[in-house]
Amino acid sequence: MSSTVDIGIDLGTTNSVAAVMENGRPVVIKNMESDVTPSFVGIDSQGQVLTGKPAMNLCKYEPENVADGFKRQLGHGQTWRFPANGQSYSAVNLAAFLLRDIRQAISEHINSEPDASVITVPAAFGEVEKHAVVLSAREAGFTQVTLVQEPVAAGLAYGWQKKSEGKPFLVYDFGGGTFDAALMECAGGQLIVRANSGEHTLGGRDLDRDILDKLILPQIAGRVDPASLTAARRRLLWKCEDAKIRLSRSASAIVSLEGCVWSVSGAPLVDALTITRADYEPLVIPFVDRTIEIVLRLISQAGL
């Protein structure tokens, strides 16, 4: 058995990615010509398991047969039922489907089937959640699994290039589903974790939810059929995520309701609703404030 594990996987809430060390440098492994694999799992009409981009595309037509965001539920017992095959799967099963797909991409890249990998996990994950990740990895075919906290992994990458010692630095990671923070320091040629913390239900998905609930739905209140709104909620959240990304580059973004929801009279709504940075930024502040509270506690714990 090799004395080193040269494969790393970031199992993300929204996207996942794998890399392998080649000649001392990390190389990102493409999956279907993309650097990232959307963390989606679907079941098509033939009962075939789809992962990544194909599963994400299935959302447009059969959202009830697609699962996403399951990383947040690892170790917590939630199941997803897929009408396409009548089967139910736990978060562990869904993560295993995703990891199996990533493992196949790794196998094609290195021309052998990998049995060992380092997988990153949020700092806020406890033993139950971490055990669930290990179970998923083993179900996907990995026999040797090492877990590294996500902010620690980022700190290691940064620390390799760091020249000065004895100066702590902060890793601040606001991800799709989780927030992680770590205080790290280079000392005696070693990278030391002074303290780490986080919250595993604080991330970009919560911002998407607020865009929908506080900016979009009030504009169509009283006009939309409640049943169609419930059925379309996930698709609307994905549209809100896309608008959020566009607001990083533009002062405004449009969320189109066409093909998603129907009015109380049964006619399709075709509204194209505009949201601006001025609308959106006040929603961000409470989430940023929560991250600052975590960071300040972290600094206090480290005695800095």
Side-chain angles (χ1 to χ4, degrees):
M1 179 180 294
S2 172
S3 61
T4 62
V5 178
D6 298 328
I7 293 167
I9 298 174
D10 176 7
L11 178 63
T13 305
T14 306
N15 293 293
S16 297
V17 66
V20 61
M21 294 297 289
E22 294 181 350
N23 300 317
R25 302 292 299 176
V27 176
V28 172
I29 296 172
K30 291 186 179 295
N31 192 3
M32 294 189 177
E33 305 307 317
S34 176
D35 285 348
V36 299
T37 300
S39 299
F40 286 69
V41 174
I43 307 292
D44 67 14
S45 57
Q46 284 76 45
Q48 179 182 357
V49 176
L50 304 177
T51 57
K53 192 67 176 291
M56 193 175 182
N57 291 337
L58 185 64
C59 293
K60 302 173 185 177
Y61 314 103
E62 300 178 40
E64 69 279 6
N65 282 311
V66 179
D68 66 310
F70 41 83
K71 175 183 174 180
R72 280 185 162 187
Q73 301 303 322
L74 282 167
H76 295 283
Q78 181 177 337
T79 60
W80 283 256
R81 187 179 185 280
F82 293 80
N85 65 358
Q87 299 293 314
S88 294
Y89 301 97
S90 68
V92 168
N93 301 141
L94 296 172
F97 286 139
L98 184 65
L99 288 171
R100 188 176 296 132
D101 180 51
I102 293 171
R103 182 172 180 261
Q104 177 61 33
I106 296 170
S107 178
E108 292 170 0
H109 182 89
I110 65 175
N111 296 316
S112 66
E113 291 193 359
D115 59 5
S117 178
V118 172
I119 300 178
T120 60
V121 295
F125 266 21
E127 292 305 315
V128 171
E129 292 89 353
K130 288 188 284 189
H131 180 64
V133 173
V134 172
L135 289 178
S136 295
R138 288 177 177 165
E139 194 174 312
F142 291 106
T143 57
Q144 181 184 345
V145 182
T146 300
L147 303 183
V148 176
Q149 291 182 340
E150 290 164 6
V152 173
L156 286 168
Y158 175 69
W160 281 341
Q161 306 170 40
K162 195 171 173 63
K163 303 291 185 184
S164 59
E165 292 197 356
K167 294 182 179 180
F169 60 91
L170 172 73
V171 177
Y172 178 102
D173 177 10
F174 191 91
T178 60
F179 172 71
D180 287 315
L183 281 167
M184 307 186 72
E185 182 179 337
C186 292
Q190 299 292 319
L191 200 59
I192 301 169
V193 181
R194 294 281 296 269
N196 62 81
S197 186
E199 190 170 328
H200 81 276
T201 54
L202 174 59
R205 286 175 171 263
D206 301 293
L207 296 174
D208 304 338
R209 182 198 63 220
D210 268 17
I211 291 174
L212 178 60
D213 292 342
K214 297 180 180 180
L215 298 181
I216 300 300
L217 296 188
Q219 297 188 58
I220 57 174
R223 295 195 294 124
V224 64
D225 174 60
S228 77
L229 183 59
T230 299
R233 183 171 177 85
R234 290 175 67 198
R235 287 188 64 189
L236 290 171
L237 283 169
W238 295 325
K239 286 177 176 285
C240 290
E241 180 191 23
D242 182 63
K244 176 187 69 179
I245 293 169
R246 282 183 279 125
L247 285 173
S248 296
R249 299 178 177 86
S250 304
S252 64
I254 293 174
V255 177
S256 173
L257 303 184
E258 187 173 2
C260 289
V261 293
W262 282 257
S263 70
V264 289
S265 63
L269 285 184
V270 294
D271 298 47
L273 305 177
T274 300
I275 57 175
T276 68
R277 283 188 184 177
D279 299 324
Y280 172 60
E281 287 177 351
L283 300 183
V284 179
I285 292 172
F287 294 99
V288 175
D289 286 345
R290 284 168 64 186
T291 68
I292 291 173
E293 290 173 6
I294 293 170
V295 169
L296 291 177
R297 285 201 304 269
L298 198 63
I299 292 172
S300 175
Q301 290 169 10
L304 297 174

